[in-house]
Structure formats: structure tokens, C-alpha cells
């Protein structure tokens, strides 16, 4: 990979300590890849010089793209270089046919905590089409931030004068919650949390393991990319609005029911679903242009017996998300991360502790409808979607990322291979697609 250096100097900013969420992802990247890859599919051949100039522009605009981590500091700190470097690699090939293989390589090719930069770009193009892959260590970015990067990159490519104003480094969102809230919530919620730890509920149904997996097999993330046709996508969205249910709740409900069916579809089963949520709406000074890590996770448990209505279950999900997704609970979650980081200093033991604590067998990341124009000068944006890695927890798991763009709903299923039973994965995907088609009809 080549890292080209510019003659321009970026604005100077002081280093800052990593927040607890950033620290957790950084530590996990010391033992396994926690990358996510943003896939940008484009009609038209990209001019390399213009792309390089646009990439240089976003590196100047967003300080986190020129940051490295000072690991010797306690806690680790983000240091922002004044020298913008563009980590661009150009790969010849068939844009339509070769991108899945290259994206999977990027997904599993770890960006280590001590890397010179915590992201990279790879361009794959032929005469008619191009695919740009933006790969991020999760410690410095989330899905929403990646869409900001893509939008401003393509706008700058089409018109260099369209670049937005230079941003200051994003604050760790720990510092953007109401002062003192973390300790207040820790004092209030810790007794109940410890009671649940000491007297845990029965284990929920787990994603089944692949019986053919061997102890010495290399574990990696793989994905299945499914694009619903425009009529079905429009039908799902229209029905969701008519029922008064968010797309997040609907996707969660359909995923829970698909998982229940894939687990045999008989008797009562407890299934835990986790979700990643954008915390910006709960912060004191939210900025939609900040590029950084602004996500939190929640887990919800459901007892399913097979006769649940998708809409009634979706309303239960919606109520649970509303109850959990508060600034108080976000603050409590950060304090728990602080505690586990203090207790589990070795990356492998940290990963194992997180794996044991999480009972979710399915995970949802709903990116909604990103604000992305389709046309940028001579280029047309066909698709833009993230692929998250999931194998860093070293357990069977299935993740679904959803995004609605250009009138179509895209579903990206990621799973830990070879740990997760392939028959279970196929069944969940088929059952999920079937339920969405029923919703649309």
C-alpha cells in the first residue's frame, strides 16, 4: 500500500485522550480485525489525480483521518499530524466482479492500533465502472461518519470549491454527555447490574456453531450482499410508515422471527438481539459533520413461541429501544466499558470477557436513508453501504446491516466463518427475505 504525502500543512490541533468506547475498539484491534469497509460503487471511470486531490481535501478537513494513537500514554491519546497523507491503493480488475473478494480481504486485513493511519482507501476500476473501498479501524469511525466522508469526498471530486469547512477533532462523546451523569448512573444502576451478573437469566438461544469447524481454523468475517428490488423496497417502507413503526424496529422484528425459524421454529426460545445506535441525538453539542466514533450498543431479550405478529413484535422492540436509548444509559454503558478496560488489560482476555457477557446471536445496524446525492459531475453513485467485521468476538454470530438508497433496500449479512453454522446463515437470510416480501405485499 502506498501512502502519498502532500506539500500542504493541515491545521494544528492538540492531542486528546481516547474515550472509553474508542479505547475498547482500539484494544480489540490488537487481537483481531475490527475493520468495517465502506463500499462505494460508481458508474464511470474515476480520474486518479482528481480522486487523490479530493482524498487529500478530506484528510485536511477531518483531523481523525490523519490521526495516530499514542499507545504509551495512559489513557492512549489521538495525535493529529499536520502532514496530510493519502493511503490510496489502485487495483486493476473488473469493478463489478472483483469487489466482493477485495472487500472481504479489506475486512479481515487488520488495521493495528499502532498503525501510521487508522484507515485506508482502495480503488478498483475498469473502463465503465469503479468501486472505492474505504476501510476504517472502528475506533475512529462509525457508519454515519463514513457516509459524511463519502459525501464530502465525492462533492470535492466533482467540484474542488465545494469542500466544506475544516473541522476540529471530534470530542470523545464521553465528554459531550451531561457532566457527572456517568458516575450518577453508575451509582444508581450498578446494584441492579451486579444482581444480574451474580444471578444471571438462563442462557438465551445462541447462533449454532459449525460442527465442521476445527480448533486451529483461522476465523474471519464473510458477508452476503442482498439488494431488494425497487417495488419490494418501496412496499416495505410504505407499510412501515402506515403501521407507525420505524424501519429499525421492523428490521429487528423480522430478524428475530427469521432467527427463531432458523433455530427450528418449535417451542419457546429466548433470543437476544443487539443493535448499534448513533448517539448524536443524545449529545449536548451534536454535529452531523463530525467524523469519529459516535455509537453505542444495546441488547434486548425476547421470548418467542412462533406465533408472534411481526408488527406487534416491532412495537415491543420500539418500546425497548426508547427505554434503553437514553443519555443516562449511554453514560452507564461508558462506565461499564471503563470498568472492564481496567479489569481486562490484555486484549485477548478483554475479547473473551466481552464474548462471554454478550448473549446476542444476531446483531442489527440500521443506517436508514443516508443523505447522499447520486450525481457528481461525470460520476453516478450507484450504491454506498458498510460491511462490518464480526469475527473479533471469536464466537458464532450473524450481523445484519441495512441501508435504503436510490429507492432500494440493501441487506448485508456478515458472519464469523467457519464458526457459524452455514445452514443457519442460509435459513436466516431466506426467512428474512420471505418476511420482508410478505410485509411489502
Amino acid at each position: 500500500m502506498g501512502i502519498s504525502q502532500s506539500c500542504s500543512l493541515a491545521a494544528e490541533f492538540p492531542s486528546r485522550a481516547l474515550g472509553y468506547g474508542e479505547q475498547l475498539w482500539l484494544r480489540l484491534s490488537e487481537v483481531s480485525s475490527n475493520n468495517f469497509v465502506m463500499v462505494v460503487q460508481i458508474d464511470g471511470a474515476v480520474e486518479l489525480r482528481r480522486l487523490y486531490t479530493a482524498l487529500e481535501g478530506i484528510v485536511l478537513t477531518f483531523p481523525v483521518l490523519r490521526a495516530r494513537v499514542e499507545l504509551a500514554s495512559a489513557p492512549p491519546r489521538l495525535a493529529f499530524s499536520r502532514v496530510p497523507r493519502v493511503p490510496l491503493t489502485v487495483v486493476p480488475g473488473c469493478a463489478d466482479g472483483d469487489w466482493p473478494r477485495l472487500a472481504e480481504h479489506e475486512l479481515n486485513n487488520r488495521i493495528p492500533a499502532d498503525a501510521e493511519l487508522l484507515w485506508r482507501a482502495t480503488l478498483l476500476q475498469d473502463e465503465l465502472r469503479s468501486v472505492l473501498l474505504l476501510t476504517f479501524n472502528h475506533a475512529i469511525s462509525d457508519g454515519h461518519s463514513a457516509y459524511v466522508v463519502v459525501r464530502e469526498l465525492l462533492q470535492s471530486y466533482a467540484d474542488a470549491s465545494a469542500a466544506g469547512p475544516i473541522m476540529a477533532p471530534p470530542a470523545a462523546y464521553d465528554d459531550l454527555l451531561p457532566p457527572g451523569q456517568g458516575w450518577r448512573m453508575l451509582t444508581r444502576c450498578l446494584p441492579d447490574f451486579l444482581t444480574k451478573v451474580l444471578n444471571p437469566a438462563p442462557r438465551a438461544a445462541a447462533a449454532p456453531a459449525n460442527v465442521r469447524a476445527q480448533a486451529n481454523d483461522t476465523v474471519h468475517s464473510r458477508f452476503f450482499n442482498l439488494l431488494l428490488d425497487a417495488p419490494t423496497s418501496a412496499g416495505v417502507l410504505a407499510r412501515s410508515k402506515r403501521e407507525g413503526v420505524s424501519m429499525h424496529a421492523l428490521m429487528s422484528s423480522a430478524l428475530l422471527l427469521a432467527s427463531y425459524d432458523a433455530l427450528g421454529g418449535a417451542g419457546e426460545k429466548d433470543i437476544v438481539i443487539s443493535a448499534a445506535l448513533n448517539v448524536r441525538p443524545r449529545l449536548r453539542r451534536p454535529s452531523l459533520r463530525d467524523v469519529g466514533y459516535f455509537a453505542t450498543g444495546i441488547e434486548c431479550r425476547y421470548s418467542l413461541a412462533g406465533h408472534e405478529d411481526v408488527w406487534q413484535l416491532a412495537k415491543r422492540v420500539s418500546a425497548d429501544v426508547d427505554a434503553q436509548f437514553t443519555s443516562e444509559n449511554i453514560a452507564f454503558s461508558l462506565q461499564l466499558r471503563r470498568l472492564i478496560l481496567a479489569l481486562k488489560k490484555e486484549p485477548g482476555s478483554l475479547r473473551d470477557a466481552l464474548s462471554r457477557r454478550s448473549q446476542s446471536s444476531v446483531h442489527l445496524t440500521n443506517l436508514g436513508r443516508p443523505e447522499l446525492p447520486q450525481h457528481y459531475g461525470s460520476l453516478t453513485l450507484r450504491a454506498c453501504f458498510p460491511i462490518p467485521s464480526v469475527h473479533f468476538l471469536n464466537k458464532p454470530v450473524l450481523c445484519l446491516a441495512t441501508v435504503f438508497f436510490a429507492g432500494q433496500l440493501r441487506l448485508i449479512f456478515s458472519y464469523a466463518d467457519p464458526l457459524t453454522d452455514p445452514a443457519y446463515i442460509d435459513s436466516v437470510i431466506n426467512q428474512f427475505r420471505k418476511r420482508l416480501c410478505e410485509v411489502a405485499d
Side-chain angles (χ1 to χ4, degrees):
M1 181 188 73
I3 298 181
S4 301
Q5 183 170 307
S6 167
C7 295
S8 305
L9 287 181
E12 186 172 5
F13 296 106
S15 65
R16 73 147 172 91
L18 271 70
Y20 297 120
E22 294 167 328
Q23 288 184 52
L24 187 144
W25 281 113
L26 188 77
R27 292 273 299 280
L28 287 174
S29 70
E30 294 182 52
V31 70
S32 182
S33 172
N34 67 5
N35 298 352
F36 75 92
V37 179
M38 203 69 170
V39 180
V40 186
Q41 296 180 318
I42 299 168
D43 283 338
V46 170
E47 297 178 30
L48 287 180
R49 174 48 52 184
R50 289 178 68 182
L51 176 62
Y52 177 85
T53 300
L55 283 166
E56 183 183 69
I58 64 166
V59 171
L60 289 167
T61 299
F62 302 113
V64 77
L65 298 183
R66 55 179 191 274
R68 61 178 177 82
V69 179
E70 296 176 337
L71 292 171
S73 300
R77 301 182 68 85
L78 280 179
F80 306 97
S81 172
R82 294 196 65 199
V83 180
R85 290 162 293 176
V86 177
L88 174 63
T89 299
V90 180
V91 180
C94 174
D96 279 348
D98 293 340
W99 77 262
R101 172 188 53 81
L102 189 58
E104 188 170 297
H105 171 77
E106 285 296 295
L107 201 62
N108 292 285
N109 184 14
R110 182 172 67 99
I111 299 178
D114 61 354
E116 189 177 4
L117 295 171
L118 295 172
W119 73 290
R120 58 179 177 252
T122 306
L123 178 67
L124 174 68
Q125 68 173 346
D126 50 41
E127 294 181 355
L128 300 177
R129 288 179 169 171
S130 308
V131 175
L132 181 66
L133 304 178
L134 300 176
T135 306
F136 299 91
N137 182 307
H138 212 341
I140 66 159
S141 186
D142 55 27
H144 178 92
S145 294
Y147 275 113
V148 174
V149 170
V150 171
R151 183 180 65 241
E152 300 216 5
L153 171 65
L154 294 179
Q155 287 174 343
S156 296
Y157 177 92
D159 179 4
S161 65
I166 292 175
M167 300 290 288
Y173 75 77
D174 316 42
D175 300 325
L176 299 179
L177 292 165
Q181 197 168 63
W183 285 112
R184 287 197 301 272
M185 290 306 299
L186 187 63
T187 303
R188 186 187 309 171
C189 298
L190 190 57
D192 183 56
F193 173 78
L194 291 176
T195 298
K196 291 180 180 178
V197 170
L198 296 173
N199 300 285
R203 294 291 296 182
N210 180 7
V211 295
R212 296 186 178 183
Q214 302 296 314
N216 59 348
D217 284 342
T218 299
V219 181
H220 54 279
S221 292
R222 303 195 68 182
F223 68 91
F224 181 83
N225 173 40
L226 175 62
L227 182 64
L228 296 187
D229 60 74
T232 302
S233 300
V236 170
L237 184 62
R239 183 76 185 279
S240 175
K241 290 180 177 179
R242 193 161 65 246
E243 297 287 343
V245 168
S246 70
M247 286 291 283
H248 176 93
L250 174 57
M251 296 296 106
S252 299
S253 175
L255 185 57
L256 282 163
L257 295 173
S259 180
Y260 174 87
D261 290 338
L263 289 168
E268 186 170 298
K269 293 180 176 65
D270 281 4
I271 299 178
V272 175
I273 184 172
S274 58
L277 301 173
N278 175 14
V279 302
R280 287 170 176 84
R282 299 294 185 265
L283 302 181
R284 287 182 293 137
R285 301 194 312 273
S287 171
L288 297 181
R289 283 191 73 233
D290 269 335
V291 170
Y293 177 74
F294 292 94
T296 192
I298 63 172
E299 285 191 350
C300 299
R301 185 184 187 108
Y302 299 92
S303 294
L304 304 180
H307 52 70
E308 289 78 12
D309 173 73
V310 66
W311 299 108
Q312 291 303 314
L313 182 56
K315 290 175 181 177
R316 287 172 56 193
V317 170
S318 184
D320 289 340
V321 171
D322 288 344
Q324 289 200 42
F325 188 43
T326 65
S327 58
E328 292 83 3
N329 283 332
I330 293 169
F332 179 59
S333 173
L334 288 172
Q335 292 303 320
L336 288 181
R337 294 178 188 184
R338 178 180 185 177
L339 181 62
I340 195 171
L341 284 165
L343 295 174
K344 303 294 182 180
K345 297 185 180 298
E346 196 274 320
S349 64
L350 172 66
R351 181 208 39 205
D352 294 344
L354 292 172
S355 179
R356 287 192 302 270
R357 180 172 178 269
S358 172
Q359 291 199 41
S360 61
S361 56
V362 286
H363 177 86
L364 175 68
T365 298
N366 174 41
L367 278 302
R369 305 177 73 176
E371 296 181 6
L372 277 178
Q374 280 194 264
H375 302 289
Y376 301 88
S378 61
L379 303 181
T380 299
L381 181 61
R382 284 196 298 134
C384 183
F385 53 92
I387 306 174
S389 61
V390 294
H391 68 283
F392 52 85
L393 286 181
N394 201 37
K395 60 183 279 188
V397 69
L398 178 62
C399 172
L400 169 62
T402 64
V403 61
F404 199 100
F405 179 74
Q408 291 183 268
L409 181 61
R410 186 178 298 272
L411 314 169
I412 308 99
F413 295 88
S414 303
Y415 56 95
D417 181 70
L419 300 181
T420 317
D421 181 10
Y424 168 77
I425 296 163
D426 290 343
S427 181
V428 171
I429 293 172
N430 290 331
Q431 291 293 334
F432 187 85
R433 175 166 40 188
K434 175 184 175 183
R435 288 188 178 275
L436 288 192
C437 289
E438 292 171 350
V439 163
D441 291 340

